[in-house]
Amino acid sequence: MFGIVRPCSHRLGEGLKTQWMAHLCGLCLALRGDHGQFARVVTNYDGLLISVLTEAQVERTTAWRRTAGPCPLRGMRTASVAQGEGARLAAAVSLVLASAKVRDHVADKDGLLARRPVALAARRVAASWGRAGARTGSDVGFDTAVLVDAVDRQVGIEALAGPGTPLLTVTEPTETATAAAFAHTAVLAGRPGNAEPLAEAGRLFGRLAHLLDAVEDRETDAASGAWNPLTATGTPLVEARRLADDALHGIRLALREVEFTDGKLAHLLLAHELGRSVDRAFGTSGCGHQDHEDGPRGAFGPPQHGGPYNPQSPQSPNDGQNPYAGGGNPFGGAPSFPPSGPGRRGFWAGCAAAIGLCCTCKVCCADEFEGPWSRRRREGCLGNCDCDCSCCEACEICECCEWCSCCDCGL
C-alpha cells in the first residue's frame, strides 16, 4: 500500500471510515475483476480519491454499492464496497501510474531490479499493467495517453534538471496527469461544471504528492545515490514546505467551487488529511486542530493542569508514579494474571485459535479480535495509530473548524 493520504480511523469516525473502506475495497476488487488477482498489488490510498470524488458528485443510489464476500484483509468479513465507473477509473489510473513507477525503479536499478532477469520480468509486468489501464480507461471514456505522455516527459525533464531548475518544472508532468484524472470524475458524474475546479485541485494534488514523496525519500535517495528532485535542483526544505503549503491552500480553495452531493469524505481527505500528510512528511506536529492560546485542545476543552488524576500534579497521591504501570502487581511480587476458568481456552484449543487468527489475518487487519487463550477483546495491529486523536473524537467532520480555523472550508 502506498500513497500520501493515509487517514487515521479515529479521526474518520465510524461512518466515514466505513465509506473510506468501501472505496478502498472497491478499488481492489475493480482491479481484480478487470485484470486478475495479481493486479490487486497496485491498490493504493491515493487512487481511491478518484472513486471518492466521483461518488461525491452524484445522487447516492444502491447501484454504487455491492456486498463483497469475506476477505482476509477485512478479518474474513463481508462488506459493502464501491463499484461502478468511479472505481474502474481509479483502477485504470492506478495501473498506469504503477506501471510508470515500476519502469522508473527499473531505470534506477533499485534493489533486486539491478539484476537483469528481475528487471526483464518487471518490464513485462509494467507493460502489461500499462495496456490493461489503457483498456479500462477507454471503457470509462478516459484517455490514459495523457498519463503515459506525462510519464515519458518526466524522464526527459529529470535528465535535464540540475541546480537552479525550478522545482515546479519537475513536478509539472505529475500535475498534468492528476489534473486530467480528477477532472474526468466530473464527466463520469454528469457535472461538467465541476471539471475546471477539480482539474485545479488535481493539479495541486499532483504537485503535493511529488513534493512529499521527494521529502520523505530525500535521505534514502542520498544514501543510495538515487535521483531526488530536491537534491538535483538544490531546493531547500524551507522552499519545499512553502510550495506544499501553497498547494494545500489552493486545493481547499478549488474544492469550494465544486458542487458536491455529499462531499464530507472528499473534503476530509483533501482538505484535512492532506494537511496532516504535509506535517508528517516534514516532521512537524501531527494534529492540525490547535488552540491558538492554550496549545492542543481536546474535544471537551483544553487539558487541565491539576487534580488527583493528573500524574504530574502535586496533588497526585502517587507523585507521578502509576502503581499499575507495566501490568505489575501494586502490592509487590510477580505480575498477576487472571485465573483460568470456563471463559478461557485450554492450551491446545488456544493454539488452534491462534493459528486460525493468523491464517485469516485477523491479528493484523481486524479492528478487534478475540484473544486465542484469554478470549478478551483485542485491537488488531493496524487498528493502532501513532497520532494524537484527542482533539478529533468529537468532530467527525469539520464541526470544530469554526473555532480552530484549521482551514477556511466554510463548513
Side-chain angles (χ1 to χ4, degrees), residues 10 23 49 54 77 83 97 129 178 193 204 206 208 213 233 235 269 280 328 352 356 370 393 409:
H10 293 82
H23 289 286
L49 290 172
T54 303
R77 292 173 295 182
Q83 65 172 351
L97 296 183
W129 283 347
T178 51
L204 295 172
L208 203 52
D213 184 63
T233 60
T235 304
L269 296 176
R280 182 170 58 243
E370 189 179 78
E393 293 172 354
C409 58

Side-chain angles (χ1 to χ4, degrees), residues 135-153:
R135 289 195 304 270
T136 301
S138 178
D139 290 344
V140 296
F142 180 66
D143 186 2
T144 58
V146 65
L147 305 183
V148 176
D149 175 69
V151 171
D152 292 340
R153 287 190 296 107

Side-chain angles (χ1 to χ4, degrees), residues 121-293:
R123 287 193 189 96
R124 289 180 176 175
V125 170
S128 174
W129 283 347
R131 292 191 297 268
R135 289 195 304 270
T136 301
S138 178
D139 290 344
V140 296
F142 180 66
D143 186 2
T144 58
V146 65
L147 305 183
V148 176
D149 175 69
V151 171
D152 292 340
R153 287 190 296 107
Q154 186 75 54
V155 175
I157 289 173
E158 290 181 0
L160 296 175
T165 301
L167 189 58
L168 297 187
T169 300
V170 179
T171 63
E172 181 274 324
T174 307
E175 296 177 21
T176 301
T178 51
F182 274 43
H184 196 69
T185 65
V187 177
L188 295 181
R191 290 183 178 266
N194 286 343
E196 185 175 347
L198 283 175
E200 177 66 7
R203 182 180 69 83
L204 295 172
F205 179 82
R207 176 184 299 179
L208 203 52
H210 203 133
L211 285 172
L212 298 191
D213 184 63
V215 171
E216 291 178 343
D217 293 346
R218 186 164 168 262
E219 293 184 1
T220 55
D221 286 346
S224 63
W227 194 90
N228 184 284
L230 297 180
T231 305
T233 60
T235 304
L237 284 178
V238 173
E239 174 64 10
R241 179 62 193 252
R242 185 189 69 79
L243 292 173
D245 288 339
D246 285 349
L248 181 62
H249 182 63
I251 289 171
R252 290 170 174 168
L253 292 178
L255 289 178
R256 286 184 177 185
E257 306 300 320
V258 181
E259 293 184 10
F260 288 120
T261 301
D262 181 2
K264 284 186 178 180
L265 181 59
H267 175 85
L268 179 69
L269 296 176
L270 288 170
H272 290 260
E273 290 302 329
L274 266 181
R276 294 185 175 96
S277 299
V278 172
D279 288 337
R280 182 170 58 243
F282 285 92
T284 52
S285 61
C287 188
H289 297 151
Q290 299 290 329
D291 185 72
H292 297 295
E293 296 180 0

Side-chain angles (χ1 to χ4, degrees), residues 22 55 58-68 79-85:
E55 189 175 279
V58 299
E59 294 293 337
R60 184 72 60 83
T61 66
T62 56
W64 290 91
R65 288 284 190 272
R66 72 178 180 87
T67 300
S80 175
V81 302
Q83 65 172 351
E85 293 183 328

